[in-house]
Amino acid sequence: MLWKGFCSARNYSSKKPVALLTTPIYYVNAEPHIGHLYSSLIADAIRRWKLLTRKETKIIFSTGTDEHGTKIQRAAKNHQTSINDYCTKISSHYRELANTFSISCTDFIRTSEERHKMTVQKFWTQLIEKGLIYQSTYQGWYCVSDETFLSDSQLLEIIKDGKKMLVSHESKQPVEWSEETNYIFKLSSFKQALIDWLQRNEKAVVPQKFYKILLDIVHSLDALSDISISRPSSRVHWGVPVPNDHDQTIYVWFDALVNYLTVAGYSEIDNGKFQECWPPDIQVIGKDILKFHGVYWPAFLIAADLEPPRRILCHSHWTVDGEKMSKSKGNVLNPMQNIVNYTADGLRYFLLREGVNHSDGNYSETKVLRLLNAELADTLGNLLSRCCGKALNPDQKFPALNTVSFDRVSSCDVTKRLLENIQQLPGLCETHYNQYNFYKVADAVIATLHSANLFFETLKPWELKKSKNTTEDLQTVLHLAMESLRVTGILLQPLIPNISNVLLNKLNVPKEERFFDNLLKFSWMDQSFKTKCLGDDSAVLFKRIVSDDSGRIKKKLEN
């Protein structure tokens, strides 16, 4: 069979003209929460980093909404609206989330679109023609909430209201026995192909923790029994019809996973686009959907003679004040409600700063407030405000360096440490960005800014301002502080694009000089650097958040 040797024949390092980067598509049974936003922010930061380094100039970056299935039927009924209107409304909220938080996607897909239905049916037909789908009676425990059948080992017996009941071991959602005639995919035929794919590419799933989890799943015979990929349309009518059998609709997860083929142009007449961008370079997912993306998805692709994703970046979840988010607890956080106090870039920064892919992150209002005040308002914002304030910089200039003054100022230990930190920072950030450790990028940047603030405080430019004999030293101090801000501003663009833009505009850094290679030579090494006027943008990057004694936010003040 063709797929048995599939993985060994592929060159995973081959370069493609177009990179393909995806987020999961989000299920519209509920409003967006910070977990959805976090997935999108990770993918957006990756895209912005790729563009910053100029290593990838053509990137398809997709996100969107998953709109089919039983839960959607029930949600629309509960909201007393048509299914189509319900999906359109909730999908628009996810699109608004992407726009508000500067998610720079190039394609926002909805699974209710005709282009997607066409792709799903074409892909289904391909597997039918290869003899990999058959019809049979399927029975088992079905979890409506998770839209999936579960094996006995995936069940948990609990007592609720004095009665025994079975729930999903992972999601704790109730299950019900189901027996029906469905179409079945021969997943069991692809166990070795999946093992080969994973073992030949240890970076196929990152972090390593999730790679090991996935490898264990694949090695499990129970996890790789053949799977149902359709439902009777009498029960699940809101879905893509099975080609040539309208008594069945295609299983929501099969339908949803194919969205990545849709955005890549799989069903288009001219397949030039598809050939240029396939396979996906990075697919960002949450740990709850690892099995679907790490087992079913690559198996479907290998079955269709398509290369599986080159990398799956799996991240952990967010708790709120140490507790799992749930509707029953009333602690599900809608990011759109938090931007009034924290701004979109502020919340971006917190999630990327605090999130660690291999472990769950914890969100608390106290932590957000303290972090944003300490790092965005005080450490970053305050340094810019002081450099640009008319008390120290009445001419509003980014001054050039005087060689004699620079030699004198750079002989100080605090200056030596600052220059060393600035020089090391791009390399450190490059390593951390390439490993998707955004929190380490922020750590390194903030450490450099702490060094810059210490330098500023130690050299006391307000004292230098009092004497004409120290004017050149004042200009040197201002210049090195601004150079610190220029470097950190460029490196922070993937994390806080809007704040970085204001910062670089204020320093009058041209758009074409905001790339990683513009950090290969620093200003004190560049004899051609001339004094230039500061930009007209405000020097206020982030307004400090003020709270009362109980921690409740009162108002925001300008730096």
Side-chain angles (χ1 to χ4, degrees):
M1 289 185 177
L2 177 61
W3 57 81
K4 285 193 174 180
F6 184 89
C7 292
S8 61
R10 290 303 188 267
N11 178 7
Y12 290 106
S13 62
S14 59
K15 184 73 172 177
K16 302 186 284 97
V18 180
L20 178 56
L21 169 67
T22 70
T23 75
I25 51 173
Y26 305 118
Y27 211 34
V28 296
N29 65 314
E31 295 285 344
H33 58 64
I34 59 169
H36 302 126
L37 175 60
Y38 186 55
S39 292
S40 292
L41 290 179
I42 289 173
D44 183 67
I46 292 171
R47 178 177 187 266
R48 290 178 184 275
W49 169 245
K50 286 180 174 290
L51 294 176
L52 190 68
T53 58
R54 306 188 206 240
K55 290 180 180 178
E56 304 281 1
T57 55
K58 294 182 179 179
I59 303 173
I60 295 174
F61 170 22
S62 70
T63 188
T65 47
D66 179 6
E67 302 180 15
H68 289 138
T70 309
K71 282 196 290 186
I72 306 305
Q73 293 175 189
R74 294 181 179 180
K77 184 177 181 180
N78 291 338
H79 285 81
Q80 299 181 328
T81 186
S82 71
I83 299 177
N84 188 64
D85 287 349
Y86 172 81
C87 289
T88 298
K89 178 182 178 182
I90 303 300
S91 181
S92 71
H93 294 171
Y94 281 94
R95 190 184 292 270
E96 182 185 10
L97 183 79
N99 292 336
T100 300
F101 286 89
S102 304
I103 308 300
S104 57
C105 57
T106 61
D107 196 329
F108 187 98
I109 182 171
R110 299 178 58 189
T111 57
S112 57
E113 295 175 28
E114 286 302 318
R115 62 168 176 154
H116 178 65
K117 295 176 185 177
M118 187 186 310
T119 303
V120 172
Q121 292 185 327
K122 178 180 178 179
F123 189 67
W124 176 283
T125 302
Q126 176 82 349
L127 299 184
I128 281 281
E129 291 175 352
K130 289 180 174 293
L132 298 172
I133 296 176
Y134 61 94
Q135 198 167 19
S136 178
T137 299
Y138 198 89
Q139 61 183 14
W141 293 103
Y142 186 72
C143 180
V144 173
S145 177
D146 298 338
E147 301 274 13
T148 186
F149 279 98
L150 300 171
S151 64
D152 289 345
S153 63
Q154 294 172 300
L155 301 176
L156 178 68
E157 185 176 84
I158 64 171
I159 297 177
K160 186 175 181 180
D161 299 329
K163 297 180 179 180
K164 291 182 179 180
M165 65 180 297
L166 287 176
V167 298
S168 163
H169 191 281
E170 182 176 346
S171 69
K172 305 301 185 289
Q173 295 298 317
V175 299
E176 57 189 42
W177 184 257
S178 178
E179 183 173 341
E180 56 196 29
T181 298
N182 291 334
Y183 286 92
I184 312 297
F185 173 71
K186 294 182 179 180
L187 179 65
S188 57
S189 300
F190 295 90
K191 178 176 180 178
Q192 191 56 49
L194 291 170
I195 292 172
D196 291 345
W197 166 60
L198 289 170
Q199 289 184 339
R200 286 182 59 83
N201 180 13
E202 291 189 358
K203 296 295 185 181
V205 180
V206 292
Q208 182 73 7
K209 168 185 175 179
F210 294 116
Y211 173 83
K212 291 179 179 178
I213 290 172
L214 184 58
L215 201 55
D216 288 343
I217 292 173
V218 173
H219 276 294
S220 166
L221 286 172
D222 186 42
L224 288 179
S225 57
D226 292 350
I227 58 169
S228 169
I229 54 171
S230 75
R231 299 289 181 267
S233 54
S234 59
R235 186 159 71 86
V236 187
H237 61 84
W238 182 242
V240 179
V242 168
N244 302 317
D245 187 352
H246 285 204
D247 289 336
Q248 295 272 319
T249 54
I250 294 172
Y251 173 48
V252 63
W253 267 105
F254 185 101
D255 164 8
L257 289 166
V258 174
N259 93 86
Y260 307 123
L261 290 170
T262 303
V263 300
Y266 179 78
S267 65
E268 296 174 8
I269 296 175
D270 178 9
N271 278 336
K273 173 187 175 183
F274 183 76
Q275 293 165 348
E276 285 184 341
C277 71
W278 198 264
D281 295 82
I282 302 174
Q283 300 207 265
V284 178
I285 63 167
K287 66 179 182 180
D288 57 319
I289 53 177
L290 176 61
K291 183 175 74 173
F292 294 98
H293 283 78
V295 178
Y296 301 162
W297 174 228
F300 294 154
L301 292 172
I302 294 171
D305 297 330
L306 295 174
E307 188 174 336
R310 292 185 172 177
R311 181 161 298 170
I312 295 172
L313 172 56
C314 184
H315 66 78
S316 298
H317 290 168
W318 282 89
T319 59
V320 177
D321 295 324
E323 294 188 327
K324 183 178 179 179
M325 283 191 290
S326 71
K327 291 181 182 179
S328 61
K329 292 178 182 176
N331 65 346
V332 179
L333 292 178
N334 185 332
M336 298 299 290
Q337 297 173 356
N338 289 46
I339 58 175
V340 174
N341 293 321
Y342 303 130
T343 75
D345 261 28
L347 199 51
R348 273 185 72 112
Y349 183 75
F350 175 79
L351 293 175
L352 292 171
R353 176 77 168 95
E354 285 292 301
V356 179
N357 289 325
H358 58 74
S359 302
D360 288 349
N362 183 49
Y363 180 101
S364 78
E365 298 290 343
T366 301
K367 187 189 292 186
V368 179
L369 186 149
R370 289 176 178 171
L371 181 74
L372 298 187
N373 277 347
E375 299 190 356
L376 294 188
D378 296 345
T379 304
L380 176 64
N382 195 42
L383 182 61
L384 180 70
S385 294
R386 297 171 84 179
C387 288
C388 299
K390 291 191 176 181
L392 293 179
N393 195 344
D395 296 331
Q396 293 294 282
K397 303 288 187 183
F398 189 148
L401 281 177
N402 174 278
T403 303
V404 175
S405 174
F406 174 72
D407 289 343
R408 183 166 54 248
V409 172
S410 62
S411 66
C412 302
D413 287 343
V414 70
T415 313
K416 291 177 182 178
R417 286 195 295 272
L418 173 61
L419 298 182
E420 182 180 0
N421 286 339
I422 295 173
Q423 288 176 280
Q424 292 177 349
L425 185 62
L428 281 173
C429 290
E430 181 178 28
T431 297
H432 299 324
Y433 270 126
N434 288 339
Q435 295 175 347
Y436 319 117
N437 289 325
F438 306 115
Y439 72 100
K440 289 187 177 180
V441 173
D443 272 342
V445 167
I446 293 301
T448 297
L449 288 170
H450 282 159
S451 179
N453 278 282
L454 178 61
F455 159 80
F456 204 80
E457 290 289 332
T458 303
L459 273 294
K460 297 183 173 65
W462 52 91
E463 295 289 341
L464 299 175
K465 183 74 170 60
K466 295 177 180 179
S467 172
K468 292 184 178 180
N469 296 328
T470 53
T471 298
E472 290 179 348
D473 286 356
L474 170 63
Q475 302 304 310
T476 298
V477 171
L478 290 176
H479 177 96
L480 292 179
M482 289 183 182
E483 178 65 353
S484 305
L485 289 163
R486 181 188 73 90
V487 171
T488 54
I490 289 173
L491 290 168
L492 283 172
Q493 288 176 100
L495 305 187
I496 43 175
N498 300 301
I499 288 176
S500 295
N501 186 56
V502 173
L503 168 59
L504 296 171
N505 284 347
K506 186 63 183 178
L507 296 179
N508 204 5
V509 179
K511 299 284 186 183
E512 64 274 14
E513 294 179 11
R514 300 182 182 186
F515 294 92
F516 186 77
D517 53 20
N518 296 119
L519 302 178
L520 301 181
K521 184 163 67 173
F522 304 100
S523 62
W524 62 87
M525 304 174 181
D526 184 2
Q527 299 298 320
S528 65
F529 186 92
K530 305 294 183 185
T531 296
K532 58 182 178 180
C533 295
L534 295 177
D536 294 330
D537 286 48
S538 169
V540 178
L541 296 181
F542 189 84
K543 296 179 181 179
R544 206 168 198 285
I545 308 163
V546 179
S547 63
D548 59 23
D549 293 337
S550 65
R552 290 177 299 188
I553 294 171
K554 294 166 63 177
K555 60 181 177 178
K556 295 180 71 175
L557 301 176
E558 292 191 1
N559 291 32

